[in-house]
Amino acid sequence: NAGVIQTPRHKVTGKGQEATLWCEPISGHSAVFWYRQTIVQGLEFLTYFRNQAPIDDSGMPKERFSAQMPNQSHSTLKIQSTQPQDSAVYLCASSLVCSQNTLYFGAGTRLSVL
Amino acid sequence: GDSVTQTEGLVTVTEGLPVKLNCTYQTTYLTIAFFWYVQYLNEAPQVLLRSSTDNKRTEHQGFHATLHKSSSSFHLQKSSAQLSDSALYYCALSGPPSNTGYQNFYFGKGTSLTVIP
């Protein structure tokens, strides 16, 4: 079990460019979460998929952020027209869908927008 | 609404001394699970402790925590801090799954623990 895999580990973009972040959840986990981590805000919920279907994207900035899960083995988070305030660590997590189960996180992608 | 509060953003403790990281919560859920996650530098957050039983002590890797519903708390403690304990610690609450299986997780803002020699 390799755990949740996120690529790339670091990404540097210029202001206004697009960034795509990838996540491979643990095999067999049907719940996938995306979080944004900053020193000031801690862990901010972005979006949640269950069995590849988007269930809750209430944490997503609507205009520039989008997430997809085209198959059970990967999810992507896309940020269009990146801004300096998007700089953060983006964490993906997966879990089994059952009562109050543990979230397993990836190591994250550190996005730096210059 | 539901929330988790970690009152200290930064905690510094001397090696060998006890450490306590505070975690309190507000929730409307009757059935809850609590977690402590630890995140070492440049690594993934990983679960350290999990509990859903009131007044039962949970231990792992020298750390312990007891869920006290009467005081809405789930403080993390260790009797003797080690240099390797330096990390970011998150307290989290999970409510019961909805009909669609959706689980709400609520995280505190984290406490950065530094253990000094």
Side-chain angles (χ1 to χ4, degrees):
Chain A
N1 187 343
V4 176
I5 299 172
Q6 290 190 249
T7 55
R9 289 296 311 274
H10 304 275
K11 185 168 183 66
V12 180
T13 65
K15 182 179 175 180
Q17 293 183 330
E18 181 178 287
T20 300
L21 314 180
W22 296 73
C23 170
E24 180 180 333
I26 293 173
S27 178
H29 283 191
S30 53
V32 173
F33 297 77
W34 283 95
Y35 287 86
R36 177 166 61 185
Q37 183 181 34
T38 61
I39 293 174
V40 174
Q41 296 296 331
L43 290 172
E44 297 177 273
F45 168 78
L46 293 176
T47 190
Y48 164 74
F49 293 87
R50 185 196 177 200
N51 293 327
Q52 301 171 230
I55 302 297
D56 182 358
D57 66 354
S58 60
M60 295 274 276
K62 296 302 182 193
E63 292 185 350
R64 299 182 293 107
F65 284 59
S66 62
Q68 294 183 328
M69 191 161 185
N71 57 59
Q72 64 185 4
S73 64
H74 90 273
S75 176
T76 58
L77 178 67
K78 183 180 292 186
I79 309 172
Q80 295 178 312
S81 185
T82 55
Q83 303 297 311
Q85 61 266 30
D86 299 330
S87 297
V89 175
Y90 290 84
L91 292 168
C92 177
S94 70
S95 76
L96 296 169
V97 179
C98 60
S99 180
Q100 297 160 335
N101 210 13
T102 301
L103 280 181
Y104 294 88
F105 285 89
T109 295
R110 180 176 296 277
L111 176 66
S112 298
V113 182
L114 304 178
Chain B
D2 304 280
S3 64
V4 174
T5 300
Q6 294 179 247
T7 50
E8 309 96 356
L10 298 170
V11 171
T12 301
V13 65
T14 301
E15 183 181 18
L17 293 183
V19 60
K20 180 180 179 181
L21 305 184
N22 291 313
C23 174
T24 56
Y25 66 90
Q26 288 185 312
T27 185
T28 56
Y29 296 122
L30 296 178
T31 306
I32 53 175
F34 262 94
F35 303 83
W36 275 101
Y37 281 84
V38 58
Q39 185 179 24
Y40 300 104
L41 190 62
N42 296 323
E43 294 187 13
Q46 56 186 284
V47 64
L48 178 61
L49 291 173
R50 180 193 186 280
S51 178
S52 57
T53 305
D54 197 13
N55 298 316
K56 180 180 178 181
R57 177 171 164 141
T58 302
E59 299 190 38
H60 187 60
Q61 295 181 349
F63 286 91
H64 65 91
T66 303
L67 178 60
H68 290 297
K69 292 186 179 181
S70 60
S71 58
S72 301
S73 68
F74 190 57
H75 306 315
L76 182 68
Q77 300 183 69
K78 190 174 186 182
S79 59
S80 176
Q82 305 300 308
L83 296 175
S84 57
D85 295 329
S86 295
L88 182 58
Y89 292 79
Y90 286 103
C91 183
L93 173 159
S94 172
S98 68
N99 292 336
T100 60
Y102 178 52
Q103 281 181 246
N104 281 309
F105 283 88
Y106 300 90
F107 285 88
K109 291 199 172 183
T111 298
S112 179
L113 173 65
T114 301
V115 182
I116 58 175

